[in-house]
Amino acid sequence: AQSVSQHNHHVILSEAASLELGCNYSYGGTVNLFWYVQYPGQHLQLLLKYFSGDPLVKGIKGFEAEFIKSKFSFNLRKPSVQWSDTAEYFCAVADSGGYNKLIFGAGTRLAVHP
Amino acid sequence: DVKVTQSSRYLVKRTGEKVFLECVQDMDHENMFWYRQDPGLGLRLIYFSYDVKMKEKGDIPEGYSVSREKKERFSLILESASTNQTSMYLCASNRVRGNTIYFGEGSWLTVV
């Protein structure tokens, strides 16, 4: 069965610090990869997605993620975080060769201090 | 504008009640999903459906059932609600060969 692991459950950073959130998945077939964000009191928003092509994907709000197939990883990065990036971040995988159902990681809560 | 609509945003039910959560999508999507979201656990797949009258168990189907009589509608049923089913429930839909999944706004269910 597919699974998604997010290594950091809580991350605390100061503004302007760099961010990297880890995501690993287990699935042997072709996958589509996603990062979602949920700001306090709001519903999920898509940050970025990878289907094929360039493994370095750029998303909204200055986020990017790199797909490393050999490591089954899709880590999220941002060079300089802002207080407004305080949110919960979810990595997700869809089995594009199957039913295309989306499986989520447990999430990482990011708190950015001014 | 594409839409996944969950009819009930906030519900309070008693233990043992039968609960129906309804979801409708207007995009002619083949797939529909029910997730529950809990702090520290992320979104966990309860059931999904890839066609009318077809359903597959997700990771946590116990205590739930689903119904998909029409392509646009996917219902989640709690046969006998329990307090551990207090949660946020999210409906979603996508195409089998598509690359975007659309979420509803969620239904907050409290079982007392």
Side-chain angles (χ1 to χ4, degrees):
Chain A
Q2 291 171 275
S3 66
V4 179
S5 295
Q6 291 183 240
H7 315 297
N8 316 100
H9 296 296
H10 290 92
V11 173
I12 301 172
L13 294 173
S14 298
E15 275 193 319
S18 65
L19 170 71
E20 180 159 0
L21 300 182
C23 173
N24 286 90
Y25 66 93
S26 67
Y27 183 68
T30 306
V31 293
N32 295 331
L33 297 157
F34 305 81
W35 276 97
Y36 284 85
V37 62
Q38 188 171 37
Y39 297 102
Q42 297 186 27
H43 50 270
L44 286 172
Q45 296 178 39
L46 180 65
L47 264 183
L48 48 79
K49 58 189 178 184
Y50 171 80
F51 299 115
S52 63
D54 188 345
L56 186 61
V57 180
K58 294 195 185 299
I60 60 171
K61 306 188 181 191
F63 286 91
E64 64 178 33
E66 185 176 12
F67 171 50
I68 303 179
K69 189 175 181 180
S70 60
K71 294 185 178 180
F72 296 89
S73 71
F74 190 56
N75 292 354
L76 182 71
R77 300 194 291 248
K78 186 171 184 179
S80 176
V81 294
Q82 301 172 310
W83 176 80
S84 58
D85 293 324
T86 294
E88 190 160 17
Y89 293 82
F90 296 94
C91 181
V93 169
D95 56 338
S96 61
Y99 289 120
N100 207 23
K101 69 179 189 288
L102 204 62
I103 302 297
F104 286 83
T108 298
R109 285 186 185 271
L110 171 66
V112 180
H113 294 307
Chain B
D1 196 18
V2 296
K3 231 172 155 72
V4 177
T5 304
Q6 295 182 230
S7 54
S8 303
R9 293 295 314 277
Y10 301 96
L11 305 95
V12 180
K13 297 292 182 181
R14 294 191 182 282
T15 301
E17 275 193 80
K18 190 169 186 174
V19 181
F20 292 87
L21 299 179
E22 305 286 346
C23 176
V24 177
Q25 50 96 2
D26 63 0
M27 296 163 281
D28 202 37
H29 285 168
E30 297 91 357
N31 286 349
M32 295 188 75
F33 308 86
W34 275 106
Y35 294 89
R36 62 177 283 177
Q37 183 178 6
D38 301 287
L41 297 175
L43 279 77
R44 293 177 292 166
L45 183 63
I46 304 171
Y47 267 97
F48 73 100
S49 168
Y50 53 90
D51 201 351
V52 175
K53 296 191 187 296
M54 305 304 287
K55 61 186 179 186
E56 291 283 338
K57 292 179 180 178
D59 297 319
I60 50 162
E62 296 79 19
Y64 303 95
S65 62
V66 290
S67 172
R68 192 157 180 210
E69 296 296 318
K70 294 185 178 181
K71 192 174 186 180
E72 67 270 20
R73 186 180 297 271
F74 191 37
S75 303
L76 180 69
I77 304 156
L78 288 66
E79 295 289 342
S80 177
S82 63
T83 53
N84 63 13
Q85 293 178 309
T86 291
S87 186
M88 155 81 105
Y89 291 87
L90 282 164
C91 177
S93 73
N94 70 355
R95 295 198 183 282
V96 171
R97 293 289 173 256
N99 54 26
T100 302
I101 188 165
Y102 297 87
F103 285 91
E105 292 198 335
S107 298
W108 283 99
L109 172 65
T110 301
V111 182
V112 298

